[in-house]
C-alpha cells in the first residue's frame, strides 16, 4: 500500500496550493515515484486543473492525466443523491487504489468548497482520507483574522478531523496577516498534540501577473516583451489627473490604467519606470483609443520590455473586473511557485514534517532527488556566494530563487542602478523580506557592489600587486585589473568576504578560472585544478571527470583527477567506484594512450588503497553489468562504476554532452576541484536551474572548507 497525504481545507480562500506544492516538494526529495489524486473536480477538462499542471511540469510527472481525477462534482452530487454517500465513497476509493498501486506515495488534493453541491463536505474529506489510509494535513484560512481567531479556527479544524477518526500529522494556518502571524504562533505553541505551522500572507502570491490581467480582460498586447507578462501587479493606479499629480501616485509594481488618448500619462509612467522610480508592472489603455504613432514609438523606446495592453472598455468596468482578480499558482507562473516554496520552507519545519509523514528515502537517486538534496544541504548552513555577472538576466532570475529558497546570501557585482533597473525590467524582486523587515540570520539577503567604486578596490589592488609582483604587476596595473568583476569576486573569496564564487554565464571558462589560479591557488594535496560533472541519469548519479579543464593530462595528473573526483563524489553522497576509461579493457589492448591509463590506475591504487578503482576499462564495461560479466568478471567496479575518468578533454567533453542530449541526463557542473576555496564555472548556455544547482554546490563546498563569510546586507 502506498503512503498517502491528504491535504484539505475547511472552507474557501485558504490558499492551500502553497501547502500542496510544499508537501509535493518534501515527497519528491525522498521518493522516486509520487502519484497525485484529486477525488473530485469541477466539470471541466482534466487538463484544465492549474495545480496539477504545475505539479506535472515542475516535478516531471509521467502519471497519465486520466488517473489523476476521480469524478466531477456534478457527477458526484448526482450519485450521492441517487445512491448515497457510501456508493460515492466506494467508487472514489476504487479509483484512488488504481493510482496507489502504481506509486510509492500519493499526494491527495482535497475538495475546494466552491459551488460543489455536496453536503457535509468536511466530513466527506475526512471519510475519504480514512478510506484511503491517508494522513491528513488540514489547512485553515487566516486572512483578515486576529491571532486569537486564527488560533480558534485551527483548534476547531483539528477537533473536527480527529473526531472523525482522521490521523492528523500537522495543521497549517495560511494567509495569516503579517502583524498577527507571530502572535498566532505563540498562542498555538504546544496547544495541540501535533505541530501547527503558521504561514503569513505573501503579497507576491496573491498579486496577479500581467499575463493573468491580459487573460481576464481579453486585452491586446500593443507593446512590450512577452517576458514582461510575468511581472506581478501589486497595485492599480488609474490615470485621470494631470501629470504632476499623477506621477507621485505611482507605486512599485503598479499597473497603470488610463484612457488611450492620455499620451502625457502613458509617456510619464513609462519614463518613470525607465528611471527606476518606480518600476511599474505595465500599462492598460482603455476606451479602445491609442495615442499617435510618434507617442507609441517613444513609449517603445522608453521601456522596451514593459507590457502595454489595450482594451475596448472604459476604466470603470475594467477596474470592476480587476479588483476581484487574485494571483494563481500555475505552470505558466514558475516564479510564483518558487515564492510559494520559499514561504513554505521558511515557516514549516520541513525535517519535522517529513519525519511525521514517515517518508523513507528510496534506494534510487533521481535527478530531482539529487537537486533537492543540494538545496537542502546548502540551506542547512547558509553561506555567502558572489556572482560577478550581476546584471545578466539568467543570473538575476537565479538570484531571486536563491534568496526566496533561503539557499545562500549573495553579492551581485555590477553598477547598482543598472542591476536594479534590469531586475525591475524583468519583474524580479531581490529583496524578498517584508516591508520594513530587516535582514535576519534566518533569511537570505543580497547586496550589490560595483568593483569600480567599491572601497575594497584599493585594498584588492595592493593585495594583487603583492601576489603578482613577480610577474611585473604594479599597483597601477593591479588597480585596473581588480575592477574586473571576475578578479574582484575572486579576491572577495580569497579575503573571506564571500565563501565562494560562481561565474561563466556571460564569461569564458578562462575568464573565470584564471583569476582563481592566480589568487586562490591549489590545495596542498592537489597537483592540478580539475573538474567534474554530476550526470543525473534516470535512476542514478554518475561523476564524470575531467570534462572541462585539462586538455591532455599525463598519468600523474590523471591519477590526481581520479582521486579528487572520488573525494568530490563522496562529499555529495555518491559512493566512489572509479573507472579509468580507455578504448581497451584490462589487458586486451596496448599503446601509449592505454599505457597512460594503466599507469594512472596503478598510481591511484598506491596513493589511495582504500578506493575501488578499475582500469583501463571501456565505458560499456564500466556501467553495464552484462558487459562487465563478459569482459571483467569478478571486478568490484566493472558494471557498477560511479566515477568515470576520461583520458583527455576531447573524450570527456564530447561524452558528457552526448549523454546529456541523447539520454536526457541533467548535467550539473562543471564543478572545479583542487582549489583552496570554491570557485565554479558555468557554461555560457547555462539555464537558470543550472545556475541554482551550481551555486548550491559551491555553498556546500564552502561548508566543507569550514570558513564562513559575513552575511550579505542589502
Amino acid at each position: 500500500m502506498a503512503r498517502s497525504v491528504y491535504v484539505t481545507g475547511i472552507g474557501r480562500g485558504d490558499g492551500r496550493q502553497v501547502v500542496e506544492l510544499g508537501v509535493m516538494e518534501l515527497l519528491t526529495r525522498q521518493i522516486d515515484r509520487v502519484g497525485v489524486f484529486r477525488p473530485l473536480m469541477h466539470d471541466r477538462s482534466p487538463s484544465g486543473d492549474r495545480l496539477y499542471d504545475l505539479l506535472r511540469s515542475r516535478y516531471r510527472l509521467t502519471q497519465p492525466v486520466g488517473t489523476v481525477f476521480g469524478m466531477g462534482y456534478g457527477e458526484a452530487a448526482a450519485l450521492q443523491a441517487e445512491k448515497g454517500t457510501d456508493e460515492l465513497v466506494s467508487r472514489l476509493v476504487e479509483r484512488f487504489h488504481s493510482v496507489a498501486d502504481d506509486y510509492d506515495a500519493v499526494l491527495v488534493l482535497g475538495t475546494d468548497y466552491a459551488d460543489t453541491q455536496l453536503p457535509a463536505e468536511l466530513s466527506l474529506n475526512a471519510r475519504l482520507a480514512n478510506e484511503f489510509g491517508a494522513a491528513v494535513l488540514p489547512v485553515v484560512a487566516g486572512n483578515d483574522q486576529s491571532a486569537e481567531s486564527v488560533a480558534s479556527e485551527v483548534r476547531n479544524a483539528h477537533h473536527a478531523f480527529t473526531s472523525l477518526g482522521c490521523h492528523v500529522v500537522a495543521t497549517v494556518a495560511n494567509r495569516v496577516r503579517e502583524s498577527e502571524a507571530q502572535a498566532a504562533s505563540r498562542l498555538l505553541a504546544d496547544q495541540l498534540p501535533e505541530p501547527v505551522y503558521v504561514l503569513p500572507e505573501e503579497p507576491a502570491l496573491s498579486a496577479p501577473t500581467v499575463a493573468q490581467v491580459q487573460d481576464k480582460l481579453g486585452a491586446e498586447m500593443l507593446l512590450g516583451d512577452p517576458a514582461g507578462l510575468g511581472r506581478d501587479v501589486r497595485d492599480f493606479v488609474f490615470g485621470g489627473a494631470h501629470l504632476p499629480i499623477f506621477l507621485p501616485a505611482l507605486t512599485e509594481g503598479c499597473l497603470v490604467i488610463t484612457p488611450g488618448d492620455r499620451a502625457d500619462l502613458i509617456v510619464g509612467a513609462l519614463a518613470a519606470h525607465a528611471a527606476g522610480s518606480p518600476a511599474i508592472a505595465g500599462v492598460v489603455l482603455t476606451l479602445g483609443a491609442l495615442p499617435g504613432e510618434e507617442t507609441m514609438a517613444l513609449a517603445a523606446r522608453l521601456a522596451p520590455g514593459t507590457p502595454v495592453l489595450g482594451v475596448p472598455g472604459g476604466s470603470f468596468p475594467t477596474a470592476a473586473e480587476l479588483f476581484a482578480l487574485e494571483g494563481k499558482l500555475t505552470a505558466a507562473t514558475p516564479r510564483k511557485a518558487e515564492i510559494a516554496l520559499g514561504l513554505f520552507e521558511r515557516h514549516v519545519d520541513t525535517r519535522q514534517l517529513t519525519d511525521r509523514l514517515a517518508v523513507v528515502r528510496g534506494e534510487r537517486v533521481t535527478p530531482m532527488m539529487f537537486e533537492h538534496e543540494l538545496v537542502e544541504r546548502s540551506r542547512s548552513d547558509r553561506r555567502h556566494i558572489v556572482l560577478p555577472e550581476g546584471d545578466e538576466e539568467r543570473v538575476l532570475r537565479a538570484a531571486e530563487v536563491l534568496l526566496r529558497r533561503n539557499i545562500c546570501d549573495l553579492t551581485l557585482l555590477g553598477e547598482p542602478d543598472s542591476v536594479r533597473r534590469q531586475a525591475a525590467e524583468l519583474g524580479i524582486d531581490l529583496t524578498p523580506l517584508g516591508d520594513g523587515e530587516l535582514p535576519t540570520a534566518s533569511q537570505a539577503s543580497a547586496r550589490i557592489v560595483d568593483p569600480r567604486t567599491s572601497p575594497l578596490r584599493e585594498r584588492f589592488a595592493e593585495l594583487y600587486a603583492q601576489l603578482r609582483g613577480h610577474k611585473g604587476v604594479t599597483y597601477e596595473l593591479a588597480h585596473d585589473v581588480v575592477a574586473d568583476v571576475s578578479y574582484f569576486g575572486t579576491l572577495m573569496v580569497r579575503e573571506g568576504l564571500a565563501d565562494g564564487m560562481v561565474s561563466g554565464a556571460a564569461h569564458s571558462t578562462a575568464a573565470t578560472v584564471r583569476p582563481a589560479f592566480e589568487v586562490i591557488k591549489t590545495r596542498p594535496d592537489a597537483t592540478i585544478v580539475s573538474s567534474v560533472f554530476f550526470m543525473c541519469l534516470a535512476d542514478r548519479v554518475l561523476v564524470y571527470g575531467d570534462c572541462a579543464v585539462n586538455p591532455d593530462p599525463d598519468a600523474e595528473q590523471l591519477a590526481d583527477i581520479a582521486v579528487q573526483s572520488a573525494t568530490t563524489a563522496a562529499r555529495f553522497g555518491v559512493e566512489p567506484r572509479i573507472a579509468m576509461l580507455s578504448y581497451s579493457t584490462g589487458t586486451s589492448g596496448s599503446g601509449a594512450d592505454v599505457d597512460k591509463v594503466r599507469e594512472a590506475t596503478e598510481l591511484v591504487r598506491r596513493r589511495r588503497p582504500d578506493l575501488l578503482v578499475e582500469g583501463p576499462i571501456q565505458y560499456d564495461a564500466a556501467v553495464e553489468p552484462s558487459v562487465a560479466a563478459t569482459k571483467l568478471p569478478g571486478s568490484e567496479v566493472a558494471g557498477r562504476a560511479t566515477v568515470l575518468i576520461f583520458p583527455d578533454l576531447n573524450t570527456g567533453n564530447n561524452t558528457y554532452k552526448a549523454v546529456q542530449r541523447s539520454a536526457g541526463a541533467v548535467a550539473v557542473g562543471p564543478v572545479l576541484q583542487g582549489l583552496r576555496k570554491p570557485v565554479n564555472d558555468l557554461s555560457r548556455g547555462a539555464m537558470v536551474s543550472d545556475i541554482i544547482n551550481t551555486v548550491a554546490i559551491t555553498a556546500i563546498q564552502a561548508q566543507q572548507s569550514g570558513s564562513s563569510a559575513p552575511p550579505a546586507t542589502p
Side-chain angles (χ1 to χ4, degrees), residues 419-439:
V419 173
R420 292 191 183 99
R421 190 180 302 113
Q422 174 73 342
E425 196 68 30
L426 297 169
I428 289 171
D429 183 7
L430 293 178
T431 55
L433 303 178
D435 291 342
E437 188 179 354
L438 296 175

Side-chain angles (χ1 to χ4, degrees), residues 293-370:
E293 291 183 8
E294 292 183 356
T295 301
M296 291 295 281
L298 175 60
R301 290 195 298 273
L302 280 172
T306 301
V308 177
L309 310 178
V311 296
S315 296
F316 182 77
T318 299
E321 289 196 72
L322 293 180
F323 281 145
L325 183 63
E326 279 200 356
K328 302 291 183 184
L329 286 173
T330 71
T333 58
R335 178 172 172 268
K336 285 191 183 293
E338 296 293 350
I339 293 170
L341 285 172
L343 178 71
F344 183 85
E345 290 164 346
R346 284 199 304 277
H347 298 283
V348 172
D349 185 336
T350 55
R351 189 177 301 277
Q352 178 190 53
L353 182 55
T354 300
D355 291 343
R356 293 191 62 79
L357 293 174
V359 176
V360 179
R361 177 179 291 277
E363 293 183 2
R364 296 177 65 196
V365 179
T366 66
M368 187 170 298
M369 292 166 69
F370 182 72

